[in-house]
Amino acid sequence: MARPARYRLAATDIDGTILPHGGTISARTRQALAACTDAGTHVVLATGRPPRWVTPILEATGHRGTVIAANGAVVIDSARSMQTRHRLTAATVHDVVHALRRRVKDVLFGVETPHEFRAEAGYRAVRGGRHMGNLTPRSASAMPEAPRIEQLLDDEPIIKVVALSVTLSPDELLAVGREAVGDLAVPTHSSTGLALLELGPRDVSKASTLAALASSLGVHRTEVIAFGDMPNDVEMLAWSGAGYAMEGGHPEAIAAAPHLAPPAAEDGVAQVLEREVLASRGAPDDPRLRAVPFLT
């Protein structure tokens, strides 16, 4: 007889968590996520990616559940309907941009709407030459540009501001963002190379949106298992009943999580799901249930 499920909701970051840097999503990880869904566990992808970068992930994973995008600002449901839950006002964007320009001389800005990315002059030249991650859209859609980002603000919701610097490291830019605009927006980052500061609406994170979703499903936080590797995962890892940082992840993520999973390149999320979620459901002859070690 199957034991009662310990975790009723599994939430996972994408890049660096189920998608190794420089790799792709493995068959084992796809199978583990699908097996959880088939067994009745809610599976949620929680990412800093904007909605326009989610489709390649859905195709690679076959994910049928909810996606939390843009660090909690947007929710895409199982019917692929997109809801903008939170937005930055134009006034806040102006204040954030002004404050960071005073502190970071080479800063360049872009803004994410639910449907497109807009950037100020120079952003494309710097960002376009850098690695943009795996499983991103191949088609290059037109990117509205202007000398200043303020000229690109209109009635379209702004779900995230991105600030770029080539003179600072990701962590240095994050420190500046927290000090300069932490009272206006939520600064975070998920970058392993170029300094890209992500700024979202106040009091919004993957964790806050996941908590609202879990509540709507009647799932208590102790019944949530979550995975992540970067500063934008910290709140989610700390909030969940079982937070797993990925081995080799950012120090802030590792410090926030009570558990450590093997790295993405070793199917760390699949290893933990097989042991902690799928094994509790029974099905001993399911080939997806593998008795493999993992770190705690």
Side-chain angles (χ1 to χ4, degrees):
M1 181 179 297
R3 300 192 302 274
R6 182 179 179 185
Y7 300 112
R8 297 174 55 210
L9 190 156
T12 179
D13 172 52
I14 296 173
D15 298 279
T17 301
I18 60 171
L19 176 62
H21 298 295
T24 190
I25 295 172
S26 71
R28 183 178 183 180
T29 294
R30 288 196 303 269
Q31 290 168 355
L33 295 174
C36 286
T37 299
D38 292 343
T41 297
H42 301 284
V43 176
V44 177
L45 302 183
T47 180
R49 288 179 176 234
R52 61 195 173 86
W53 279 20
V54 167
T55 298
I57 298 298
L58 298 178
E59 294 172 348
T61 60
H63 179 62
R64 293 166 276 163
T66 301
V67 180
I68 295 172
N71 293 323
V74 172
V75 172
I76 302 170
D77 64 23
S78 58
R80 301 301 165 239
S81 174
M82 181 170 60
Q83 300 176 356
T84 301
R85 298 286 183 90
H86 307 279
R87 61 185 291 177
L88 290 150
T89 67
T92 298
V93 175
H94 277 270
D95 291 344
V96 165
V97 167
H98 177 71
L100 287 175
R101 280 201 184 114
R102 293 174 57 190
R103 298 288 300 272
V104 184
K105 298 306 181 184
D106 72 328
V107 71
L108 295 167
F109 292 98
V111 294
E112 289 280 3
T113 78
H115 304 288
E116 68 179 359
F117 184 73
R118 307 171 182 180
E120 60 187 17
Y123 186 100
R124 185 196 298 269
V126 175
R127 185 72 177 99
R130 304 297 183 106
H131 179 61
M132 298 184 71
N134 305 19
L135 296 180
T136 56
R138 295 188 180 277
S139 58
S141 58
M143 182 175 76
E145 291 182 298
R148 292 278 182 165
I149 199 65
E150 294 92 330
Q151 297 169 265
L152 296 171
L153 304 180
D154 51 28
D155 293 334
E156 187 74 7
I158 301 300
I159 57 175
K160 181 164 60 171
V161 175
V162 180
L164 176 157
S165 170
V166 297
T167 59
L168 299 179
S169 71
D171 286 346
E172 288 170 339
L173 187 56
L174 177 57
V176 172
R178 285 171 172 167
E179 181 180 347
V181 298
D183 59 334
L184 300 172
V186 176
T188 189
H189 85 70
S190 56
S191 175
T192 58
L194 184 66
L196 290 168
L197 180 66
E198 303 169 51
L199 298 137
R202 282 187 62 185
D203 302 319
V204 175
S205 66
K206 292 181 182 182
S208 65
T209 301
L210 181 62
L213 176 62
S215 177
S216 73
L217 295 170
V219 174
H220 191 268
R221 62 184 293 184
T222 58
E223 300 174 298
V224 178
I225 185 169
F227 304 86
D229 72 317
M230 294 299 284
N232 65 333
D233 297 311
V234 163
E235 295 87 354
M236 180 174 72
L237 296 175
W239 174 84
S240 301
Y244 282 81
M246 308 308 291
E247 183 182 356
H250 193 280
E252 289 190 9
I254 292 173
H259 306 287
L260 193 64
E266 297 177 15
D267 298 312
V269 171
Q271 288 193 40
V272 176
L273 290 177
E274 289 163 356
R275 189 78 161 264
E276 291 296 297
V277 179
L278 295 173
S280 71
R281 298 285 187 173
D285 43 343
D286 188 331
R288 292 172 291 198
L289 306 183
R290 307 182 186 187
V292 293
F294 63 95
L295 304 175
T296 57

